Structures are given as structure tokens and as C-alpha cells.
């Protein structure tokens, strides 16, 4: 067995009930994805539109592609025909564009809203207050070609496990609050995407349903 097959198995052996693996293949070649595919993996995540389009063309058509990175509004149209899940919707404007492109493609596009919980000052994601204000505003209810299936977040990049655990715990609390207040009648709101190579066991303990694992399966990324 190749390394990728072995690494993949060690991650899938760890999966808790109710948790799915998104294998993050960004910056890794199609052959690496194919090895994971041949070992049974079907869900892959990419974070750059151009790279995703090339891989989607050349790899098997039953792969379920997820977009996990920051998505620019003007690029939604390229992935709208085939994308299975957009993990990191971080503005109302982006969600409006996703709805528009869903309509054009006559399909409902599945999305997660990105919650900003890490201590780091990144530009992306809704704060708790922004998220509640956006959901209360209700515009999203008019978007017939969008399905909000849950939340996504990233913990602070640190070795401090208690900090990571605290952040994932908070994300799960916010997920439960949002579910109860806005999606109680919608079983499709069920995904909490959290956990990467270095923190996915903690994320699963805290209630993740989708883990996004890259380097632990494919090795370190080489940036061109
Ligand atoms: C790259 C990336 C991952 C995977 O990171 P690894 O540390 O390689 O597992 C997960 N989520 C997002 C949003 C990413 O950009």
C-alpha cells in the first residue's frame, strides 16, 4: 500500500460515528487524489477555483467536490455547476451570488456559514453577533437556490489544546443556538465543519460532523 492509502486509513479508522472526512487535496497532484480515490475516498476539498476546475475535469465524475477556501464573488459561476458543498460563506453578498448562480444552473447550492472564532485577526468569517444579525434579517429565507446546511470554523493555530478545545466547544454552542432559533424545522441544517490535520480529534470530541484533513493524508504541501 502507498503512503496516501495508509495515511487515509489511519484517519478513517479514527472517524467517530456521524463524522465524515473531507480529504483536502489543494496543491497536491491528480495522481495523489486518484490514490485516495482508489482507496475508497470520494469527498475531496479544494481552496482555489482554478486548481479545482482542472482537477474536476480530469478526475472521476463521482467525486464529491467541496470548496473550503475563501471564495471570491466573481468566481462562484465557475464552480456552481458541480460543487457539492461550499464551506466558507463569509458575507451576505457571497450568499446572494451563490443563490443567483444556483438559479442559473437550476440547482440548489449547499453552503455552510463561516464562523470566526479564532483569536487570530483574519479577515474572514461572521462573528457571533454578525451571524445572529444576518440570520435575524431573514433575507436568506428568500434564497430559493441556497441551502444553509450548517457552520464552518477554524480554531486558532496553536499547540495549546485547551484553547483549541474551548474554541470548538464555543462553535458547537453557537451551532446549537442557530439550529434552535432558525433551523429547528430543517433537518438539512446538520453540519459542523471543523477540525484539520493537527486538531481533528479534538474537533470530533466537541461535535464536528465534517473534518477537513489535508497534510496528514497527502503529506506537506509544496507551494508553487
Ligand atoms: C488547507 C486547509 C485545511 C487542511 O489543512 P491540513 O492542516 O493540511 O489538514 C482545512 N481547512 C481549510 C480551510 C484549509 O484551507
Amino acid at each position: 500500500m502507498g503512503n496516501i492509502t495508509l495515511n487515509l486509513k489511519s484517519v478513517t479508522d479514527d472517524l467517530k460515528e456521524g463524522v465524515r472526512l473531507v480529504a483536502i487535496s489543494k496543491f497536491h497532484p491528480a495522481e495523489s487524489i486518484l490514490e485516495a480515490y482508489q482507496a475508497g475516498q470520494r469527498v475531496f476539498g479544494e481552496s482555489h477555483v482554478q486548481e479545482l476546475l482542472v482537477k474536476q475535469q480530469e478526475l472521476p465524475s463521482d467525486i464529491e467536490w467541496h470548496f473550503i477556501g475563501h471564495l471570491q464573488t466573481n468566481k462562484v459561476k465557475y464552480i456552481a455547476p458541480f460543487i457539492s458543498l461550499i464551506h466558507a460563506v463569509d458575507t451576505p453578498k457571497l450568499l446572494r451570488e451563490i443563490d443567483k448562480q444556483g438559479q442559473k444552473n437550476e440547482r440548489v447550492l449547499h453552503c455552510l456559514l463561516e464562523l470566526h472564532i479564532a483569536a487570530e485577526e483574519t479577515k474572514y468569517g461572521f462573528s457571533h453577533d454578525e451571524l445572529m444579525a444576518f440570520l435575524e434579517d431573514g433575507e436568506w429565507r428568500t434564497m430559493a437556490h441556497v441551502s444553509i446546511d450548517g457552520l464552518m470554523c477554524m480554531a486558532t493555530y496553536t499547540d495549546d489544546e485547551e484553547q483549541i478545545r474551548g474554541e470548538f466547544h464555543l462553535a458547537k454552542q453557537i451551532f446549537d443556538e442557530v439550529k434552535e432559533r432558525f433551523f429547528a424545522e430543517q433537518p438539512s441544517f446538520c453540519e459542523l465543519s471543523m477540525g484539520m490535520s493537527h486538531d481533528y480529534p479534538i474537533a470530533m470530541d466537541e461535535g464536528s460532523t465534517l473534518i477537513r484533513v489535508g497534510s496528514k493524508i497527502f503529506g506537506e504541501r509544496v507551494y508553487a
Side-chain angles (χ1 to χ4, degrees), residues 24 26 47 68-69 152 154 195-198 212-216 221:
I24 305 303
K26 64 187 183 198
S47 61
I68 59 154
M152 174 270 197
M154 288 208 255
M196 302 167 49
S197 288
H198 66 285
R212 309 179 308 268
V213 178
S215 42
K216 187 155 190 233
R221 286 179 285 276

Side-chain angles (χ1 to χ4, degrees), residues 104-140:
K104 277 195 182 162
N105 286 277
E106 296 179 355
R107 60 193 297 256
V108 172
L109 298 183
H110 293 265
C111 299
L112 308 178
L113 301 177
E114 182 175 4
L115 181 64
H116 179 74
I117 48 162
E120 289 137 354
E121 265 305 316
T122 75
K123 291 175 287 187
Y124 305 127
F126 291 87
S127 69
H128 173 266
D129 290 355
E130 287 166 348
L131 183 65
M132 293 304 159
F134 171 67
L135 291 168
E136 272 163 21
D137 166 71
E139 181 194 356
W140 58 275

